[in-house]
Amino acid sequence: VALLGILGLIYILNPTAGIIEIIPDAIPIIGNLDEAAAVTLILTSLRYFGVDLTSFFKRKKNEIKK
């Protein structure tokens, strides 16, 4: 799990800007799916180790709607 998270992080932080590119970004709509998959790998591996970053986007149950 940690290795997949590290691979996802390396893919997102690719300093060479595209030498390692699974799907070219020039293809409309599907060009960014590989980056989305890498971010999903990172978030999933962090959640496995107890760091749930997706909780920042959830609405709290006791939050009053206005």
Side-chain angles (χ1 to χ4, degrees):
V1 174
L3 182 63
L4 289 176
I6 291 170
L7 288 175
L9 189 63
I10 290 171
Y11 190 80
I12 291 296
L13 297 176
N14 187 7
T16 56
I19 288 177
I20 303 171
E21 189 74 29
I22 296 171
I23 302 171
D25 289 338
I27 300 173
I29 300 172
I30 63 168
N32 293 326
L33 288 179
D34 53 346
E35 285 87 359
V39 170
T40 303
L41 280 175
I42 294 167
L43 291 176
T44 303
S45 65
L46 285 174
R47 187 182 306 160
Y48 179 81
F49 289 110
V51 180
D52 188 13
L53 296 178
T54 60
S55 64
F56 290 117
F57 301 108
K58 294 179 183 174
R59 185 175 285 189
K60 295 180 181 177
K61 291 182 181 180
N62 58 4
E63 185 177 302
I64 300 172
K65 295 180 181 179
K66 293 183 180 181

